[in-house]
Amino acid sequence: TETTKDLAKALAKQCVVFNCSDGLDYLTMAKFFKGVAASGAWACFDEFNRIQLEVLSVVAQQVLSIQQAQNEGKKAFMFSGTNLPIKANCGVFITMNPGYAGRAELPDNLKALFRSCAMMVPSYEMISEISLYSYGFADPRTCAQKLVGCLRLASEQLSSQ
């Protein structure tokens, strides 16, 4: 989600983030897609795999119709019974955390519409070491280890306030 928002910011695109739940229906998703297509904004659906499987099947058809209109270079297209203008630079992004309870596996026809990108937790020690190198520290590896250890302890031991 943060990566999508940062990319949108770097490209000066409006990005609307929506936290999905199992209570979403295809009509709500259609309203979102209509706004995204007509405005040229980006939509990032967080925890997309929380949506019920029946709804995901309809969403796949909705996303497909938007993508087909973009690929064909259309200025307007039929979407949910409405002739809708479309801006070619609109985008739909999804994020998922697989493996949690209550999460659905995406249908294959929906998986085919998105490019997957696996994310992982960065090595804070390596980032610190490189930063310390760039500032001219004599022994950045040891300093980075101690710095990360100290901050890890602080995050575990101290309250968030």
Side-chain angles (χ1 to χ4, degrees):
T1 306
E2 297 304 318
T3 305
T4 303
K5 285 171 35 180
D6 289 344
L7 179 61
K9 185 177 180 181
L11 297 174
K13 299 293 299 172
Q14 180 184 11
C15 182
V16 179
V17 177
F18 186 78
N19 289 324
C20 299
S21 69
D22 56 358
L24 277 177
D25 62 353
Y26 72 95
L27 295 171
T28 305
M29 295 298 287
K31 288 179 185 177
F32 240 106
F33 292 137
K34 284 180 180 181
V36 166
S39 69
W42 287 3
C44 180
F45 296 96
D46 197 21
E47 299 290 334
F48 192 72
N49 53 337
R50 288 168 127 185
I51 301 172
Q52 293 177 354
L53 194 58
E54 301 81 30
V55 177
L56 288 176
S57 296
V58 178
V59 167
Q61 292 304 313
Q62 293 171 335
V63 172
L64 179 63
S65 67
I66 292 171
Q67 288 181 351
Q68 285 176 336
Q70 284 177 314
N71 292 340
E72 294 168 9
K74 292 184 176 180
K75 300 291 180 199
F77 73 115
M78 287 302 292
F79 186 83
S80 296
T82 307
N83 190 26
L84 187 70
I86 183 170
K87 294 196 176 175
N89 53 2
C90 67
V92 177
F93 299 84
I94 62 173
T95 64
M96 302 185 333
N97 288 322
Y100 288 102
R103 304 300 199 270
E105 180 69 25
L106 291 185
D108 289 339
N109 62 337
L110 190 55
K111 278 184 192 175
L113 300 175
F114 295 97
R115 293 183 184 159
S116 63
C117 177
M119 304 299 273
M120 54 191 258
V121 177
S123 168
Y124 296 118
E125 199 166 300
M126 184 180 292
I127 293 169
S128 301
E129 183 180 344
I130 291 169
S131 293
L132 293 172
Y133 263 119
S134 70
Y135 291 126
F137 277 71
D139 189 14
R141 180 163 288 143
T142 306
C143 289
Q145 291 169 346
K146 291 179 180 180
L147 178 65
V148 170
C150 179
L151 293 173
R152 186 177 297 120
L153 278 173
S155 71
E156 292 169 0
Q157 303 281 327
L158 301 174
S159 70
S160 59
Q161 297 180 1

